[in-house]
Amino acid sequence: MLTIGAFAKASRLSPKALRLYDELELLRPARVDPETGYRYYAVEQLARARLVAWLRRLGMPLASIRQVCALEPAAAAREIRAHWARVERETAVRRDLAAFLVDHLTAEPRKDTAMLELRYSAHSDTGRVRPANQDTAYAGTRLLAVADGFGPAGAPASSAAVEALKFLESEELPAGSVLNLLEDAVRGATEAVRDVAEGSEEVGTTLTALLWTGSRLALVHIGDSRAYLLRDGGLFLISHDHTVVRAMVDEGRLDPEEATTHPQRALLLKALSGGAPAVPDLKLHDALPGDRYLLCSDGLYGVVPDERIERLLASVPAPDGAVRALVDEANRAGGPDNVSCVVADVVEAAA
Ligand code: MN
């Protein structure tokens, strides 16, 4: 038996921490002297004490540590990996926000380059299976948006979210205010969807939108609709799916291969809904002449592979033709879901 002092030294935990872990039932002493109240620990408890100490250093909450300590080593390793993937995901959101702010504070207005503008087209189609269309697609001179509603009031939810952003079309965009405007927009969309959902978390919508600032595109994104960029002939996914399956892949619990056919692949981790409010991703993209952006609902990428999307986007010159080709392709593949596409090209403004 070791005294608490000796055990603290050997485990690199303080006696104070050991007393706390005793109270929290993370690590109970092997024996407590009934007379003096002194705690005694067995040498075999050192391994667990060291694990607790390391997990504390990792910043793992006590409740999770208790769970991990109760597991076999292989299962404990999986939990630790999953915990760390969650930390990295949360950090990534803050990293994007930090990059967004740095960009705003340091960017020089473009003077030497030509004025840029968007050429755009949007279309939403019911598809071949669903009885109604719950998607909403919109494109204007400054705002591009796709929303995929779910639940009994999915259609009004997706249209309310997009409607709530349309004030951005007419708003002046003085330098540095984009972030505030987006925050207002997100708050407006969140409230609009909550009104439609009337407190039900079964009703809601995804929302993926791009706001044109004259030289950049600000992305607002929540859910599993997607934003892609076609640049120099290559297709890049610039949004991150907020799905349970995507999170499982990130946490190493699922192969990317398995994810594409997983029965719960549409289960959302985050969305605008009548439930607890969720924070969308915000990102800023520098636009270059020749860039082509695509916003789409899962009704497109769920049945049309990325390589095919890339080929269609690269081969059809006008945005309206590209939108039509993509929607047709989804319907040719069976059209199992509503399908919405917005295509926008960054072009030099006509003098
Ligand atoms: Mn859908």
Side-chain angles (χ1 to χ4, degrees), residues 200-337:
S200 165
E201 54 186 77
E202 306 293 311
V203 174
T205 185
T206 71
L207 180 63
T208 301
L210 286 168
L211 174 65
W212 176 242
T213 71
S215 60
R216 293 160 172 196
L217 283 155
L219 172 72
V220 178
H221 167 72
I222 187 162
D224 71 344
S225 298
R226 286 184 175 174
Y228 289 93
L229 165 62
L230 184 78
R231 179 176 282 175
D232 300 327
L235 188 70
F236 305 92
L237 179 63
I238 59 171
S239 59
H240 188 89
D241 296 349
H242 298 141
T243 58
V244 173
V245 163
R246 183 68 241 173
M248 285 166 75
V249 171
D250 294 344
E251 291 170 9
R253 297 175 199 249
L254 194 71
D255 280 345
E257 293 291 293
E258 295 171 284
T260 55
T261 54
H262 196 280
Q264 306 232 284
R265 60 189 176 279
L267 202 61
L268 295 178
L269 205 57
K270 288 208 285 189
L272 299 178
S273 78
V279 185
D281 297 345
L282 297 178
K283 261 189 197 174
L284 206 54
H285 279 266
D286 280 316
L288 298 176
D291 279 353
R292 170 168 274 191
Y293 288 85
L294 165 68
L295 302 183
C296 65
S297 59
D298 63 339
L300 178 73
Y301 72 77
V303 290
V304 182
D306 278 6
E307 307 79 65
R308 185 76 190 130
I309 293 176
E310 180 181 296
R311 214 165 328 132
L312 286 169
L313 279 177
S315 61
V316 183
D320 59 341
V323 163
R324 223 175 314 120
L326 290 166
V327 170
D328 287 351
E329 188 72 12
N331 281 330
R332 249 198 305 279
D337 192 5

Side-chain angles (χ1 to χ4, degrees), residues 130 135 148 297-299 337-338:
R130 297 284 170 93
D135 282 5
D148 180 345
S297 59
D298 63 339
D337 192 5
N338 306 145

Side-chain angles (χ1 to χ4, degrees), residues 104-176:
H104 255 296
L105 294 169
T106 56
E108 303 275 331
R110 310 158 65 112
K111 289 186 188 120
D112 50 331
T113 50
M115 292 285 285
L116 298 175
E117 63 184 27
L118 296 180
R119 294 284 150 73
Y120 49 83
S121 180
H123 183 62
S124 183
D125 190 88
T126 307
R128 297 214 157 142
V129 174
R130 297 284 170 93
N133 191 352
Q134 298 198 310
D135 282 5
T136 298
Y138 172 83
T141 51
R142 279 191 184 152
L143 177 69
L144 314 166
V146 161
D148 180 345
F150 55 85
S158 71
S159 110
V162 173
E163 278 304 315
L165 299 189
K166 285 190 183 166
F167 78 96
L168 294 168
E169 283 283 10
S170 53
E171 204 73 16
E172 279 303 311
L173 292 175

Side-chain angles (χ1 to χ4, degrees), residues 7-38:
F7 190 75
K9 208 164 184 184
S11 65
R12 302 190 189 175
L13 288 162
S14 68
K16 191 174 158 208
L18 286 172
R19 281 191 290 273
L20 175 68
Y21 299 161
D22 180 10
E23 279 158 33
L24 297 171
E25 297 181 21
L26 265 180
L27 189 65
R28 310 232 78 162
R31 193 173 81 83
V32 179
D33 189 302
E35 303 276 302
T36 61
Y38 283 160

